[in-house]
Amino acid sequence: MTKPRLTYFDAPVSRGEECRLALHVAGVEFDDVRIKRDQWPALKPKTPFGSLPVLEIPGHAMLAQSNAILVLIGRQHGMHPKDDFEAARHEAMMCHVEDLRVVVSATMRIADEAEKKKTREALVASFLPTWAENAEKQIGDGAFFAGAKLHVVDIKLHMTVRWFAGGKLDHIPATIFSGFPKLTRVHDAVRDDPRVKAWYARS
Ligand SMILES: N[C@@H](CCC(=O)N[C@@H](CS)C(=O)NCC(=O)O)C(=O)O
């Protein structure tokens, strides 16, 4: 292995896609390994925590956990604050995103449709707007989370808002975060970044 390798499922979404996008925005040439679902059982026990994404950097142990991967990329490439306290504030926002993903992902495993509907409608009534209100309190007035500069936290927020706006979560309106101007603004600012556009324009 001569260059960093990012391994995730073969889908342009979520924790793996935000790490790929961060590497691309950072200008890092990397091996973009996309595994099929049937390859996962064999790989799972070889990963640190039995989950993806994982980042491998020559000379280092395999690194898991999307937030740790993003912070490492951010630190190495000027996309995470140098100030310890401001960095921790960004990391807290990234943890807030993971809190959301854990709750919503759990509903994907509900087999009974009526139960899934009830659970998701309850999230729409309370958990999701409260999550967004709390996120908005942390976001500043610039284009991005912390002003005019794109950090790894912005990529994570973008991926999250995009997930809901995609409208693929039954019983959760695609507009769930539309009334939250700061979340919408960060999502749009990342989407409109030329490096991000270039990533999605690849053939
Ligand atoms: N906290 C971890 C969660 C990782 C995670 O749950 N990844 C999912 C895909 S997004 C996964 O590996 N699912 C397959 C499995 O758990 O077997 C992170 O942020 O990376």
Side-chain angles (χ1 to χ4, degrees), residues 98-111:
E98 282 304 310
D99 290 348
L100 170 73
R101 283 189 176 147
V102 167
V103 169
V104 177
S105 300
T107 69
M108 292 171 164
R109 293 186 284 275
I110 302 175

Side-chain angles (χ1 to χ4, degrees), residues 55-110:
L55 177 67
E56 293 163 274
I57 292 189
H60 295 277
M62 184 185 273
L63 180 67
Q65 296 290 346
S66 56
N67 285 350
I69 293 170
L70 288 172
V71 167
L72 179 68
I73 297 166
R75 284 211 184 110
Q76 290 186 324
H77 300 281
M79 292 165 61
H80 197 58
K82 285 200 165 40
D83 178 83
D84 287 347
F85 286 91
E86 180 62 359
R89 200 176 72 81
H90 285 223
E91 288 154 29
M93 186 70 232
M94 292 161 70
C95 291
H96 189 50
V97 169
E98 282 304 310
D99 290 348
L100 170 73
R101 283 189 176 147
V102 167
V103 169
V104 177
S105 300
T107 69
M108 292 171 164
R109 293 186 284 275
I110 302 175

Side-chain angles (χ1 to χ4, degrees), residues 46-61:
K46 298 183 185 149
T47 66
F49 304 112
S51 65
L52 294 177
V54 291
L55 177 67
E56 293 163 274
I57 292 189
H60 295 277

Side-chain angles (χ1 to χ4, degrees), residues 8-9 14-16 37 40 44 50-53 64-67 98 156:
Y8 190 63
F9 299 107
S14 197
R15 298 169 174 119
R37 280 281 163 186
W40 178 228
K44 187 175 169 82
S51 65
L52 294 177
Q65 296 290 346
S66 56
N67 285 350
E98 282 304 310
K156 192 159 187 107

